[in-house]
Amino acid sequence: MFRLKIIAACVVLLVSAQVAAETKIGVVDLRQALFSSEDAQAFTQKLQQDFSGEEARVRETQEAARALKERLEKDGAMMNESERNQIAAQFQQKVQEFNRLKQQLDSTVASRKQAFLEQARPEVDAAMKELTEEHNLDIILPSEAVIFAKPDMNLTEQLLEKLNR
């Protein structure tokens, strides 16, 4: 009975090893391929153009807050209490304005990026399917989930080429 169990375990190990040996796997850095694509480059340039005014406003507000803080630190000891309180209030107002503007900008940019990713998803899926068929792969794993892979298993450049077509 004991020998039968050992023989059965050996057979299972041999079969599973054989199945694993037949599985073809590819690895892709999806983020690198997607954000290196020509479409992503054009999207990034448009995003920078669209939001350059807002970014400048955020920087100006940050600079104004910084100048108020430096003035308080440098001249605060020589100011009367009401002037010091007034500048401190202006500083707090600029900090709040900066935080609000920065949050709005970040939120808008994030939503535009998400829309781009959703728009690009069908194209990425089609390119991944082509890679799977061309290389007769059973599975493609994201590079973030892989500790080590042989360089010939990395299909990121090929995916990028397909996305740029």
Side-chain angles (χ1 to χ4, degrees), residues 8-69:
C10 288
V11 168
V12 168
L13 285 174
L14 286 174
V15 169
S16 62
Q18 190 175 25
V19 169
E22 294 174 5
T23 303
K24 290 190 164 202
I25 299 172
V27 176
V28 171
D29 187 340
L30 192 55
R31 185 175 234 43
Q32 177 189 349
L34 183 59
F35 288 109
S36 297
S37 71
E38 293 168 0
D39 288 346
Q41 299 295 327
F43 169 77
T44 301
Q45 287 178 349
K46 179 154 177 37
L47 205 61
Q48 288 173 346
Q49 290 172 352
D50 291 350
F51 293 107
S52 63
E54 285 85 348
E55 287 175 349
R57 189 167 170 211
V58 168
R59 280 192 302 275
E60 288 169 5
T61 305
Q62 183 181 28
E63 266 312 305
R66 183 175 295 136
L68 287 169
K69 182 179 180 185

Side-chain angles (χ1 to χ4, degrees), residues 1 8 24 28-29 31 35 37-38 47 59-60 73 82 88 90 95 103-104 108 119 128-129 149 157:
M1 186 61 131
K24 290 190 164 202
V28 171
D29 187 340
R31 185 175 234 43
F35 288 109
S37 71
E38 293 168 0
L47 205 61
R59 280 192 302 275
E60 288 169 5
E73 290 172 353
S82 99
Q90 289 174 352
V95 168
Q103 186 177 18
Q104 285 176 344
T108 305
Q119 175 191 353
M128 295 286 273
K129 185 174 180 175
E157 286 299 318

Side-chain angles (χ1 to χ4, degrees), residues 28-159:
V28 171
D29 187 340
L30 192 55
R31 185 175 234 43
Q32 177 189 349
L34 183 59
F35 288 109
S36 297
S37 71
E38 293 168 0
D39 288 346
Q41 299 295 327
F43 169 77
T44 301
Q45 287 178 349
K46 179 154 177 37
L47 205 61
Q48 288 173 346
Q49 290 172 352
D50 291 350
F51 293 107
S52 63
E54 285 85 348
E55 287 175 349
R57 189 167 170 211
V58 168
R59 280 192 302 275
E60 288 169 5
T61 305
Q62 183 181 28
E63 266 312 305
R66 183 175 295 136
L68 287 169
K69 182 179 180 185
E70 287 174 3
R71 183 172 172 205
L72 269 175
E73 290 172 353
K74 181 179 174 187
D75 301 332
M78 294 185 284
M79 294 179 190
N80 64 36
E81 189 174 336
S82 99
E83 188 178 6
R84 193 171 39 248
N85 289 341
Q86 181 183 9
I87 293 176
Q90 289 174 352
F91 170 71
Q92 287 300 320
Q93 182 184 11
K94 284 295 178 186
V95 168
Q96 288 173 354
E97 182 181 357
F98 167 76
N99 288 335
R100 181 182 53 79
L101 290 172
K102 181 80 168 116
Q103 186 177 18
Q104 285 176 344
L105 179 62
D106 290 347
S107 174
T108 305
V109 168
S111 67
R112 292 271 297 268
K113 284 182 179 179
Q114 185 62 37
F116 171 76
L117 291 174
E118 289 174 10
Q119 175 191 353
R121 184 69 187 187
E123 186 180 347
V124 171
D125 288 346
M128 295 286 273
K129 185 174 180 175
E130 283 182 40
L131 279 176
T132 303
E133 292 170 356
E134 285 175 10
H135 295 278
N136 195 27
L137 299 172
D138 295 314
I139 189 170
I140 296 179
L141 297 173
S143 63
E144 301 88 35
V146 176
I147 295 172
F148 174 78
K150 292 180 182 177
D152 61 328
M153 293 177 76
N154 189 341
L155 306 173
T156 304
E157 286 299 318
Q158 293 174 34
L159 177 61

